[in-house]
Amino acid sequence: TGYVAPTRMITGSAVRDPRGLAHDPVGHRLFVLTIERESSGMTIKHGRILVFAEDASGDAQPLHVIEGAATHLDLPVGYYNSNLGFDPWLRRIVVTAGTDNDPANNRLLTFAADASGNVAPVQELVGSNVSPYTVGEPFAVPPDRLFANGFDP
């Protein structure tokens, strides 16, 4: 119980305004989702995914960055990238986005685990079928935990 100091921290301007953190246990990488804070007169907030070595510490530089118009991580004011997850079975980075009050604006973006630069998502789902409410943190279900036909344990 009580406060336990972290063993290491990634700090610096690169990780300012983080929205999510995910870990790739096979590729030994950390993914950090960031998005600019809204300010007066701003119309678009810049979003990006920073990729670090899993042992990164201090003012570490990312191995590479996923960002740019093709990524669809930049969002109009009023929208937000809500969180980030990693699917180790499909080797995908998953980002959820939306607004506070309209499920029709929900989005789920997936990127290949080795994506870098201004790349389009491998998959993009949009609308209230993503979630009838606001979207939350993405997660993966291990395939060996799913039933093959609904009857097999």
Side-chain angles (χ1 to χ4, degrees), residues 57-147:
S57 186
D59 193 8
Q61 294 302 307
L63 301 172
H64 55 272
V65 179
I66 301 169
E67 67 181 329
T71 67
H72 299 181
L73 292 169
D74 294 345
L75 298 173
V77 169
Y79 289 69
Y80 57 90
N81 289 322
S82 40
N83 220 315
L84 174 79
F86 183 73
D87 181 343
W89 295 274
L90 293 178
R91 311 273 317 132
R92 299 276 193 252
I93 304 163
V94 184
V95 176
T96 54
T99 61
D100 284 330
N101 56 3
D102 190 353
N105 295 322
N106 289 338
R107 293 179 24 197
L108 186 139
L109 308 170
T110 62
F111 297 90
D114 59 354
S116 180
N118 186 18
V119 295
V122 199
Q123 183 180 33
E124 183 172 4
L125 304 174
V126 179
S128 59
N129 285 337
V130 174
S131 171
Y133 309 103
T134 57
V135 290
E137 182 175 353
F139 64 92
V141 177
D144 61 343
R145 299 288 183 216
L146 295 176
F147 296 145

Side-chain angles (χ1 to χ4, degrees), residues 4 6 8 13 33 35 44-45 61 64 69 76 96 119 124 132:
V4 177
R8 66 181 183 280
S13 60
L33 174 67
I35 193 159
I44 298 291
K45 298 181 297 180
Q61 294 302 307
H64 55 272
T96 54
V119 295
E124 183 172 4

Side-chain angles (χ1 to χ4, degrees), residues 1-9:
T1 63
Y3 175 77
V4 177
T7 56
R8 66 181 183 280
M9 293 189 319

Side-chain angles (χ1 to χ4, degrees), residues 15-74:
V15 291
R16 183 176 160 205
D17 299 322
R19 296 290 184 222
L21 173 71
H23 178 242
D24 174 0
V26 174
H28 305 287
R29 293 176 297 169
L30 294 173
F31 304 100
V32 179
L33 174 67
T34 67
I35 193 159
E36 260 181 310
R37 289 185 188 174
E38 291 183 21
S39 62
S40 178
M42 176 185 278
T43 57
I44 298 291
K45 298 181 297 180
H46 180 65
R48 62 189 183 160
I49 300 169
L50 305 154
V51 182
F52 293 93
E54 73 180 354
D55 61 353
S57 186
D59 193 8
Q61 294 302 307
L63 301 172
H64 55 272
V65 179
I66 301 169
E67 67 181 329
T71 67
H72 299 181
L73 292 169
D74 294 345

